[in-house]
């Protein structure tokens, strides 16, 4: 079974997301590495950086930047749609495990053109704790009624790879937002999704 992360793995949104999180930090005069948000739920990271602040207000502020005119474009990661279709044609089942909200996930999967091939979506609303906790991947496996060690995860973030390995799953690191050496805990590291087939460990 294949479990895909979304942002940075199937669709190139991380440059855009970095800009938005940086806007939040700049607006509050905070000097912090924006990379801390990559692969994790905002509501898990914000209390670490903004102790004592209202997390919901901060999230609302972040969403207010969505229509900023200078945000980077969003586009599918090379090979994303082709790989998902290949997995489906092989007969393997497919799920999504993302730190994003469901509405965002649905929209972006439609943009990639593969929403109809995903049996299960596990989004930020579905878990109490996000990546690097393995809860999302374990929930996806349970919903697909498969064993964790029968799942292969595709992830671009360090937090996501940590979550996949903690869940007992094989993991392909996709070096779209991090250098390949940063993803060394993955079982296989590829530059993008044109560089991997299905099954990837045959």
């Amino acid at each position: 079974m294949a479990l895909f992360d979304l942002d940075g793995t199937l669709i190139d949104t991380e440059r855009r997301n970095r800009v938005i999180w940086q806007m939040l930090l700049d607006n509050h005069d905070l000097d912090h590495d924006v990379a801390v948000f990559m692969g994790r739920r905002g509501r898990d990271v914000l209390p670490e950086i903004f102790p004592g602040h209202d997390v919901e207000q901060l999230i609302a502020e972040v969403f207010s930047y969505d229509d900023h005119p200078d945000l980077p474009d969003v586009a599918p990661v090379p090979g994303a749609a082709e790989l998902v279709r290949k997995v489906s044609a092989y007969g393997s089942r497919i799920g999504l495990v993302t730190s994003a909200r469901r509405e965002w996930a649905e929209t972006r999967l439609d943009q990639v053109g593969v929403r109809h091939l995903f049996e299960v979506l596990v989004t930020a609303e579905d878990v109490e704790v996000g990546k690097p906790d393995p809860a999302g991947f374990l929930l996806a496996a349970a919903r697909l009624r498969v064993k964790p060690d029968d799942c292969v995860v595709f992830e671009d973030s360090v937090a996501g790879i940590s979550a996949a390995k903690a869940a007992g799953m094989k993991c392909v690191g996709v070096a779209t937002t991090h250098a390949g050496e940063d993803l060394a805990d993955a079982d296989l590291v590829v530059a993008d999704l044109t560089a991997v087939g299905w099954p990837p460990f045959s």
Side-chain angles (χ1 to χ4, degrees):
M1 308 307 142
L3 299 179
F4 288 89
D5 172 56
L6 178 62
D7 294 289
T9 299
L10 291 176
I11 194 155
D12 181 10
T13 53
E14 292 293 15
R15 290 182 304 124
R16 174 191 179 280
N17 291 344
R18 282 175 181 264
V19 170
I20 288 178
W21 288 119
Q22 190 63 56
M23 287 179 180
L24 178 72
L25 295 174
D26 291 347
N27 193 45
H28 291 266
D29 296 319
L30 278 180
D31 183 15
H32 203 288
D33 186 357
V34 74
V36 71
F37 290 99
M38 299 303 100
R40 298 178 63 193
R41 297 191 310 178
R43 68 179 57 257
D44 292 334
V45 179
L46 289 169
E48 301 171 8
I49 301 175
F50 294 86
H53 283 65
D54 185 318
V55 170
E56 294 305 323
Q57 285 186 358
L58 292 169
I59 289 174
E61 181 180 339
V62 169
F63 283 142
S64 76
Y65 301 140
D66 267 349
D67 57 359
H68 194 281
D70 297 325
L71 293 178
D73 291 334
V74 172
V77 166
E82 293 81 2
L83 178 59
V84 173
R85 292 179 186 131
K86 188 180 297 184
V87 175
S88 177
Y90 189 86
S92 298
R93 301 169 71 188
I94 305 171
L96 184 83
V97 181
T98 177
S99 298
R101 295 187 179 220
R102 181 167 295 271
E103 181 181 4
W104 172 268
E106 296 270 9
T107 299
R108 296 309 173 192
L109 287 177
D110 280 338
Q111 186 175 353
V112 179
V114 293
R115 170 63 187 94
H116 61 292
L117 298 177
F118 281 77
E119 291 184 52
V120 166
L121 303 186
V122 174
T123 63
E125 300 95 323
D126 296 317
V127 293
E128 290 295 323
V129 184
K131 303 169 188 176
D133 191 277
F137 288 116
L138 293 173
L139 178 59
R143 288 181 174 176
L144 287 169
R145 295 180 180 153
V146 298
K147 296 184 296 183
D149 60 5
D150 285 335
C151 298
V152 175
V153 171
F154 292 85
E155 265 284 358
D156 73 299
S157 74
V158 174
I161 291 169
S162 295
K165 299 305 292 182
M169 300 176 178
K170 289 272 196 179
C171 187
V172 177
V174 187
T176 51
T177 57
H178 292 78
E181 55 265 29
D182 295 337
L183 309 180
D185 287 343
D187 299 285
L188 171 68
V189 177
V190 296
D192 60 36
L193 296 180
T194 66
V196 61
W198 186 261
F201 301 110
S202 58

